[in-house]
């Protein structure tokens, strides 16, 4: 009955969200029904002129009854809170083995980029049964990435990263909408999500025109935009070495600590004076007007790759001393 009113169920999250939705709908309907029946019963029983007993309450409505039903409803609602909360929290944290796809929104299109550098416009190909983490940012206004069949909607903001993730549970082509009014052609900011078997996805991915993957693109930018002049291990400038930085806790000059995630690295490129690392001078210029959003994404991907050694030839430092200064021994002075 409801299935024709609802969008497809095409992700693991969609199934969870729907179960919750129908449980809440069922519970609310039961309560409404109960209230309606009581209203009708009382209206008839105690209508004007009826001979119903209007005196003291029947003995069943004792104190125990009051306490009992109050406690029951309390526990029902605590249970609902826990259920909805845990379902939403799991929707926030992507599994560790999720593949990453970058999304850039702009007036009025969606640009996506896969781990090997393949790019798409207004399309997103993804494999079935594999968790996919979306790292999203906007080049202009606020947009919102909305995939109804996946029950996923997340705002995409300029100057900031937002993330979401999904695991597709159904093959096919699904809608992608922008769900935030973002200007004249907002209503035409549409796309398609194409879910393929993992084998087909791998084949599709390799058939895409060769693009540098993000991290390699970032490695090139790191040299051409002058980052390596200060941040390379061999540099005479006293700047934090970035190998092993990603994911670590960083001690700042003002005593705060932050985790070096995508957002921190992005902020450090755009507003270097904001979170100065303890032991360093605030000498880095802002790259806000120099780098595009796409370039910053590439640089962040490159710095992230230095943590795991996927790409580039960043010196393999023990994470513990990466930020303290230049490595003393091993560096061959090679620019990453
Ligand atoms: Cu983008 Cu509405």
């Amino acid at each position: 009955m409801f299935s024709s009113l609802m969008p497809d169920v095409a992700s693991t999250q969609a199934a969870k969200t729907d179960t919750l939705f129908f449980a809440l709908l069922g519970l609310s309907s039961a309560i409404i029904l109960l209230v309606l029946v009581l209203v009708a019963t009382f209206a008839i029983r105690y209508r004007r002129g009826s001979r119903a007993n209007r005196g003291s309450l029947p003995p069943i409505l004792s104190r125990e009854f009051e306490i009992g039903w109050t406690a029951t409803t309390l526990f029902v609602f605590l249970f609902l809170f826990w259920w909805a909360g845990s379902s939403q929290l799991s929707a926030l944290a992507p599994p560790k083995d999720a593949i990453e796809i970058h999304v850039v929104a702009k007036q009025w299109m969606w640009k996506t980029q896969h781990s090997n550098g393949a790019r798409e416009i207004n399309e997103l190909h993804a494999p079935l049964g594999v968790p996919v983490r979306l790292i999203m940012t906007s080049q202009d206004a606020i947009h919102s990435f909305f995939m109804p069949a996946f029950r996923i909607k997340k705002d995409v903001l300029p100057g900031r990263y937002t993330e979401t993730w999904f695991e597709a549970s159904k093959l096919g082509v699904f809608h992608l909408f922008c769900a935030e009014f973002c200007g004249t052609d907002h209503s035409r900011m549409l796309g398609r999500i194409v879910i393929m078997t993992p084998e087909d996805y791998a084949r599709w991915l390799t058939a895409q025109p060769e693009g540098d993957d993000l991290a390699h693109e970032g490695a090139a930018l790191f040299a051409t935009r002058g980052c390596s002049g200060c941040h390379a291990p061999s540099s005479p400038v006293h700047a934090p070495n970035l190998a092993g930085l990603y994911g670590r806790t960083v001690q700042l000059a003002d005593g705060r600590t932050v985790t070096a995630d995508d957002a921190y690295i992005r902020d450090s490129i755009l507003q270097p004076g904001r979170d100065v690392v303890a032991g360093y001078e605030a000498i880095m210029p802002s790259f806000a007007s120099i780098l595009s959003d796409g370039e910053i994404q590439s640089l962040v991907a490159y710095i992230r790759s230095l943590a795991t050694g996927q790409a580039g030839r960043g010196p393999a430092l023990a994470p513990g001393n990466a930020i303290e200064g230049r490595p003393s021994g091993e560096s061959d002075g090679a620019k990453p």
Side-chain angles (χ1 to χ4, degrees):
M1 167 174 66
F2 289 112
S3 56
S4 57
L5 297 175
M6 300 285 284
D8 274 335
V9 177
S11 75
T12 51
Q13 181 62 33
K16 281 199 225 170
T17 305
D18 283 10
T19 313
L20 185 63
F21 172 75
F22 285 119
L24 288 176
L25 189 66
L27 186 68
S28 316
S29 309
I31 292 170
I32 289 172
L33 199 66
L34 176 70
V35 171
L36 285 179
V37 167
L38 286 176
V39 167
T41 310
F42 282 99
I44 293 165
R45 188 157 166 201
Y46 295 105
R47 70 189 182 279
R48 191 170 166 196
S50 81
R51 294 216 193 114
N53 172 19
R54 289 159 213 263
S56 58
L57 292 171
I60 183 187
L61 297 180
S62 60
R63 199 162 65 141
E64 286 75 14
F65 180 85
E66 282 287 341
I67 293 172
W69 91 265
T70 306
T72 310
T73 44
L74 177 68
F75 282 113
V76 166
F77 281 96
L78 281 179
F79 169 74
L80 287 177
F81 177 73
W82 167 83
W83 185 12
S86 62
S87 158
Q88 288 304 303
L89 282 178
S90 74
L92 287 178
K96 287 261 184 291
D97 57 343
I99 62 168
E100 282 178 14
I101 296 179
H102 286 259
V103 176
V104 176
K106 59 173 289 196
Q107 288 165 326
W108 287 274
M109 63 175 75
W110 297 102
K111 300 197 282 186
T112 57
Q113 187 169 19
H114 296 258
S115 54
N116 74 340
R119 292 167 201 270
E120 304 183 77
I121 287 182
N122 291 340
E123 286 211 334
L124 174 61
H125 286 70
L128 180 76
V130 176
V132 175
R133 176 177 169 214
L134 299 173
I135 302 167
M136 309 186 289
T137 191
S138 163
Q139 287 184 350
D140 36 51
I142 299 177
H143 305 269
S144 187
F145 191 91
F146 180 33
M147 306 191 290
F150 294 67
R151 311 292 188 270
I152 281 173
K153 189 196 286 176
K154 188 88 181 182
D155 279 5
V156 180
L157 310 169
R160 208 201 289 183
Y161 286 113
T162 51
E163 289 192 13
T164 187
W165 75 279
F166 64 87
E167 184 179 324
S169 59
K170 193 172 177 183
L171 293 173
V173 179
F174 305 98
H175 289 297
L176 163 63
F177 296 114
C178 178
E180 186 70 53
F181 181 65
C182 55
T184 316
D185 280 343
H186 156 72
S187 63
R188 291 161 67 185
M189 192 167 162
L190 309 168
R192 308 191 317 150
I193 311 290
V194 183
I195 301 301
M196 321 165 91
T197 61
E199 301 77 47
D200 284 350
Y201 175 71
R203 218 170 298 136
W204 173 86
L205 209 51
T206 48
Q208 294 310 298
E210 281 289 314
D212 250 351
D213 76 38
L214 278 179
H216 282 97
E217 220 171 80
L221 284 168
F222 196 75
T224 57
R225 296 298 190 175
C227 315
S228 59
C230 297
H231 287 285
S234 54
S235 163
V237 179
H238 184 56
N241 191 294
L242 304 175
L245 166 68
Y246 188 81
R248 286 193 43 225
T249 303
V250 176
Q251 179 73 48
L252 299 181
D254 59 8
R256 286 176 302 136
T257 56
V258 292
T259 302
D261 55 8
D262 293 44
Y264 166 77
I265 294 171
R266 181 196 168 87
D267 286 350
S268 299
I269 296 169
L270 296 177
Q271 301 166 276
R274 208 176 78 174
D275 295 325
V276 178
V277 179
Y280 291 89
E281 299 292 318
I283 49 173
M284 176 168 158
S286 166
F287 283 75
S289 52
I290 299 171
L291 298 168
S292 73
D293 274 300
E295 289 177 323
I296 292 169
Q297 261 183 353
S298 303
L299 280 168
V300 173
Y302 168 63
I303 292 166
R304 188 168 41 203
S305 75
L306 295 179
T308 53
Q310 288 170 358
R313 290 184 294 129
L317 289 174
N321 49 27
I323 205 73
E324 316 300 349
R326 274 170 265 145
S328 47
E330 302 235 328
S331 170
D332 58 357
K335 289 193 176 165

